[in-house]
Amino acid sequence: MSTATDSQQPTQSHYRICPLCEACCGLEVQTRSGQVIAIRGAEQDVFSQGYLCPKGVSLKDLHEDPDRLRQPMIKRDGQFVEATWDEALAEVERRLLPIIQAQGGDAVAAVVGNPSAHKVSLLSYFPRVVKALGTRNVFSASTLDQMPKQLSSGLMHGHWLSIPVPDIERCDWLLMLGANPAVSNGSLWTVPDYRGKAKAMRARGGRIIVVDPRRSETAQAADEHLPIKPGGDVFLLLGLVHTLFDEALVKPGRLAEHLNGLEALREAVKPYAPERMAAGCGISAATMRRLASELAAAEHAAVYGRIGTCTQRFGTLNSWLIDALNILTGHLDAPGGMMFPKAAAFAVNTLGKPGSGRGIVTGRRKSRVSGAPEVFGELPITLLAEEIETAGPGQVRALICLAANPVLSAPNGPRIARALDSLEFMLSMDIYLNETSRHADVILPGLSPLEDLHYDVAFPQLSFRNHARFSPPVFDRQAGQPEEWETLLRLAAMIEGRDWRGDMALLDDAAIAADVARLAGEHAAMVLQALKPLRGPERLVDLALRSGPYGDRFGLNPEGLTLDKVRAAPGGIDLGALQPRIPEVLRTPSGRIELAPELLLADLAAVDGALQRPADELLVIGRRDVRSGNSWMHNLPILAKGPERCTLLIHPADAAARGLSDGAQASLRNCFSELTVSVRISDEMMPGVVSLPHGWGHNLEGARLSLAAERPGANLNALLDDATRDPLSGNAVLSGVAVELCAI
């Protein structure tokens, strides 16, 4: 409760980078007497320039949420009780280490959720825990939304995060498939205020075409919307690539000397003429040929696809063909096209010898039960339940879950929940007692984002403009609360049998010594000395900045970046528009773009069998909302207020055929489950397709998300088959699933 004395205290203003979505906007957080009184967009931010969406404002609700965990929890006799940090870590040691000692590291699985990508502590230090375990059972949210793009980029360009993004500020023709950046602010494309940039693009004569089964928020503001059958993107993309060859529109320009596989690709797409592909995607051959012609003729053009193109059986083929379209028309690595960011820190494609490298390897091991190949060091998250359930050597008997909620976010959540209950031990690191962490034996809470420093590791590698930004904590941690990186270092030491209770400075020094040795070699001692007196992630960030492409190289380039220089610029440092990077960015063994990887060509054999689907199927897809990026956001008042968002969108004709009225309750079902949904009739949907958002279902016993439970919604993932995935990347199939719908 505020008092008159509080109101007389001075207001303080803090610069903060928002950690709640990929836009990574700069915020101005105003506080008084230790309380947040206002959050607005930071006008001085060199990247977002004052833009703000509702998620940024919700940081106040998140920080103050009474449901947010602030003390460790231990489950005693089936009930969670608060514990000290020493008690909780001792319980982890007592329960976890005997499992590892008796059954080996593979008996422990690690699951990582996407909030970890927004925290340098989690992203940089949790891999140390995984390495200490030596487990091959690593799962993450990447196989729910983006692994196809990472795999295709790795095969073509040599690294998992060499992902080109639209250079929207110089683009004049943009084709988007399965993407809704008006809501997401980009996905694998960090682009705050997409709406403003798209408006400016159209004002200068640019043209935007959106391909999506739904006339989304992005499509509504575009020049053209093309409805597509869910799962039909591969047919559209093959038709477009075929047309480029068929009509002599292939003009890679300066990329020609950097390509391998042009003729192999030409031969591979010969069977996929638009006239044959039209039935599979619902887009006419004439339209496909027009799009290909427009793409080839445009001076500054880009083709961009996102989550809707990845969450399909042919997700990796889609991701590959999108890049192929840009390459064949000379729009990859060209201003106004699809370009590679050059991040100031942590980007592997800026380190080592430029222009060639080891490339990537997949399938170094396979999952124990289904034999699915490892990709980027991970197994498909849809295999988690079977690895727990299935007895035998290597069976998962313990789990460490980091900021993840697979019971709601992954297909067949009920099966995952049952499997979690059968574990011998489960540790969650989470800020909430949610649908997944309720199964844990110990929960270690993270910091409020406002109590933590922030430097983005991944998203500058995907940004529409190069930059470097850092923000310190707004508030001090509560007494006794360790930093997250400290907890992770203690866990790693515990697993390795070292003294985890000892001096944190010694653990920290040992951790960074290996990183410095790898980067600096014989100069390691000098570099370590230069990094003093920084600790933890600040020291990692300084190391990455100084050794990065704009860095001071520890004195060799005195004008270059250091953490001190970035910290001294509260709105960050602008490093300029994206610039051409081929061949420097490539890390393939050949030093060329691999246009026709054998793994992808082989998967084309499965396309013909998928061309025909029953015409009368009703297919369900997901959707995003600007106020609903992750399931826990449903517990924040400023995001939860307003109309109900977990509704089933349905075309008027489909509703009429089933006797459904707007607002009615209906049964949505298939052979896996049955959901009760609230109907919203909308001509946004193409006939034969319904849409229900992911991440809902907050009615499970034991979770403590009190506001979310008031409007729990229906869990779409309960209808999805955990055995159906893109076999190349392991990504789950979340779109285009057949369902039945009827009135209740």
Side-chain angles (χ1 to χ4, degrees):
M1 178 183 297
S2 63
T3 67
T5 302
D6 291 334
S7 65
Q8 294 169 4
Q9 296 298 314
T11 298
Q12 296 179 305
S13 184
H14 310 261
Y15 172 69
R16 177 71 205 174
I17 301 168
C18 181
L20 299 186
C21 82
E22 291 189 38
C24 306
C25 297
L27 308 176
E28 180 187 346
V29 181
Q30 293 186 345
T31 66
R32 184 188 300 129
S33 301
Q35 300 292 315
V36 177
I37 60 172
I39 298 178
R40 55 175 59 95
E43 298 289 343
Q44 78 273 26
D45 188 279
V46 299
F47 186 63
S48 58
Q49 299 181 334
Y51 178 74
L52 179 70
C53 86
K55 289 192 287 293
V57 180
S58 75
L59 279 175
K60 172 179 168 61
D61 286 352
L62 177 59
H63 182 72
E64 298 173 356
D65 190 352
D67 286 339
R68 182 171 64 83
L69 299 179
R70 291 160 172 82
Q71 285 292 126
M73 308 287 282
I74 297 177
K75 188 176 287 180
R76 303 287 192 199
D77 300 322
Q79 300 295 319
F80 281 107
V81 297
E82 288 190 353
T84 67
W85 280 90
D86 285 344
E87 289 170 340
L89 288 170
E91 181 74 358
V92 175
E93 181 181 43
R94 185 180 73 83
R95 301 282 300 277
L96 180 63
L97 293 194
I99 297 172
I100 298 172
Q101 291 161 1
Q103 303 177 55
D106 285 343
V108 186
V111 177
V112 186
N114 66 14
S116 64
H118 296 270
K119 284 204 166 192
V120 61
S121 292
L122 302 184
L123 203 58
S124 299
Y125 286 86
F126 191 68
R128 302 172 195 272
V129 176
V130 174
K131 183 179 180 181
L133 286 168
T135 181
R136 61 181 59 197
N137 290 307
V138 180
F139 309 86
S140 88
S142 293
T143 50
L144 293 173
D145 63 8
Q146 69 188 47
M147 194 61 84
K149 192 65 192 178
Q150 291 184 268
L151 175 56
S152 70
S153 296
L155 292 170
M156 298 178 78
H157 311 307
H159 191 265
W160 307 95
L161 280 174
S162 290
I163 298 173
V165 302
D167 182 21
I168 190 170
E169 294 189 317
R170 294 179 287 191
C171 186
D172 54 37
W173 192 92
L174 177 59
L175 174 64
M176 287 192 283
L177 300 91
N180 192 7
V183 164
S184 68
N185 286 307
S187 179
L188 293 180
W189 177 28
T190 298
V191 54
D193 192 20
Y194 164 81
R195 290 179 185 267
K197 293 175 176 62
K199 184 177 180 180
M201 176 182 166
R202 296 180 71 199
R204 63 177 182 264
R207 179 171 169 76
I208 299 175
I209 304 114
V210 175
V211 178
D212 199 293
R214 171 180 165 244
R215 193 174 68 254
S216 65
E217 294 84 352
T218 299
Q220 290 171 27
D223 297 279
E224 184 177 3
H225 170 229
L226 296 171
I228 187 171
K229 291 182 180 179
D233 298 73
V234 69
F235 308 119
L236 169 62
L237 292 165
L238 283 168
L240 293 176
V241 175
H242 174 100
T243 300
L244 292 178
F245 286 110
D246 187 50
E247 299 186 9
L249 299 174
V250 174
K251 297 178 182 178
R254 74 172 186 87
L255 297 181
E257 63 181 290
H258 303 293
L259 295 181
N260 274 345
L262 182 63
E263 292 307 312
L265 179 60
R266 182 196 304 271
E267 288 300 312
V269 300
K270 276 185 177 179
Y272 304 108
E275 289 73 16
R276 183 164 171 256
M277 297 293 98
C281 62
I283 295 174
S284 72
T287 298
M288 283 190 245
R289 292 188 178 274
R290 171 177 63 83
L291 289 176
S293 179
E294 289 181 9
L295 171 63
E299 184 176 0
H300 304 292
V303 182
Y304 165 69
R306 243 327 272 137
I307 190 167
T309 64
C310 286
T311 54
Q312 304 179 17
R313 159 59 182 85
F314 295 105
T316 305
L317 291 190
N318 291 338
S319 299
W320 163 54
L321 293 167
I322 287 167
D323 270 8
L325 286 169
N326 290 300
I327 292 166
L328 295 173
T329 54
H331 295 309
L332 180 74
D333 202 45
M338 295 291 286
M339 302 193 75
F340 296 96
K342 192 170 189 175
F346 297 107
V348 173
N349 65 25
T350 65
L351 303 175
K353 181 183 177 182
S356 65
R358 293 182 297 177
I360 67 164
V361 178
T362 66
R364 293 170 293 183
R365 59 183 184 273
K366 294 186 177 181
S367 69
R368 181 177 62 98
V369 180
S370 290
E374 159 272 333
V375 178
F376 198 19
E378 300 181 18
L379 297 174
I381 198 168
T382 52
L383 302 183
L384 175 62
E386 69 178 37
E387 291 294 333
I388 297 172
E389 296 165 344
T390 308
Q395 180 184 9
V396 170
R397 300 308 305 138
L399 176 69
I400 301 176
C401 190
L402 180 71
N405 193 4
V407 170
L408 288 195
S409 63
N412 204 346
R415 181 185 181 188
I416 294 175
R418 292 191 298 271
L420 296 181
D421 273 339
S422 72
L423 291 168
E424 294 177 33
F425 178 73
M426 177 175 168
L427 167 65
S428 275
M429 300 185 69
D430 209 293
I431 60 175
Y432 283 108
L433 179 48
N434 62 25
E435 292 78 12
T436 296
S437 63
R438 68 192 172 120
H439 296 276
D441 298 285
V442 177
I443 306 176
L444 302 178
L447 297 171
S448 157
L450 297 181
E451 297 169 340
D452 205 1
L453 60 82
H454 191 97
Y455 185 93
D456 280 306
V457 172
F459 302 114
Q461 302 182 52
L462 303 165
S463 293
F464 83 97
R465 189 175 180 88
N466 295 318
H467 65 279
R469 299 175 300 158
F470 176 89
S471 59
V474 173
F475 298 120
D476 293 334
R477 291 170 284 131
Q478 68 179 27
Q481 170 92 4
E483 295 196 59
E484 291 164 334
W485 65 272
E486 294 177 323
T487 299
L488 291 168
L489 281 184
R490 292 200 188 281
L491 286 173
M494 178 191 299
I495 293 165
E496 291 173 344
R498 294 185 286 123
D499 180 12
W500 60 269
R501 295 178 174 86
D503 186 346
M504 177 52 61
L506 295 178
L507 293 176
D508 186 25
D509 287 343
I512 193 134
D515 295 338
V516 172
R518 186 171 59 253
L519 276 173
E522 62 183 15
H523 304 292
M526 180 273 291
V527 170
L528 281 171
Q529 182 65 30
L531 294 172
K532 290 184 176 180
L534 299 175
R535 311 301 304 174
E538 287 187 303
R539 189 157 52 168
L540 285 181
V541 173
D542 196 35
L543 173 64
L545 283 168
R546 299 179 75 172
S547 59
Y550 311 93
D552 80 336
R553 312 299 296 178
F554 295 94
L556 296 178
N557 175 27
E559 301 303 313
L561 293 182
T562 66
L563 177 56
D564 282 344
K565 290 181 180 179
V566 177
R567 195 200 307 265
I573 296 175
D574 178 39
L575 298 171
L578 306 186
Q579 300 296 322
R581 293 190 61 195
I582 289 175
E584 167 264 320
V585 72
L586 299 176
R587 293 297 185 272
T588 54
S590 66
R592 291 170 173 256
I593 300 169
E594 298 296 344
L595 194 53
E598 287 296 328
L599 184 68
L600 305 183
L601 295 182
D603 200 38
L604 284 173
V607 169
D608 285 348
L611 189 56
Q612 298 296 332
R613 293 190 66 161
D616 59 349
E617 280 187 321
L618 183 67
L619 304 177
V620 65
I621 62 172
R623 70 177 185 273
R624 294 193 66 164
D625 187 279
V626 70
R627 295 175 179 269
S628 179
N630 285 298
S631 58
W632 51 266
M633 292 183 183
H634 305 154
N635 208 57
L636 306 181
I638 199 167
L639 299 182
K641 69 180 182 180
E644 184 178 359
R645 294 182 178 89
C646 188
T647 58
L648 186 82
L649 296 187
I650 183 171
H651 188 273
D654 290 325
R658 292 162 176 80
L660 295 171
S661 59
D662 199 57
Q665 298 293 292
S667 170
L668 185 71
R669 62 177 181 257
N670 60 11
C671 61
F672 295 101
S673 189
E674 180 175 5
L675 307 176
T676 297
V677 295
S678 179
V679 171
R680 182 155 68 88
I681 298 173
S682 173
D683 63 5
E684 295 173 14
M685 300 305 304
M686 67 182 294
V689 183
V690 294
S691 174
L692 189 69
H694 292 273
W696 296 81
H698 301 291
N699 55 355
L700 300 180
E701 184 179 354
R704 298 182 191 173
L705 295 163
S706 55
L707 183 60
E710 293 177 10
R711 291 197 292 186
N715 184 7
L716 170 60
N717 290 317
L719 297 173
L720 304 181
D721 183 3
D722 55 5
T724 305
R725 55 187 170 270
D726 169 19
L728 301 186
S729 67
N731 207 89
V733 174
L734 307 177
S735 295
V737 175
V739 292
E740 297 177 358
L741 180 68
C742 63
I744 294 178

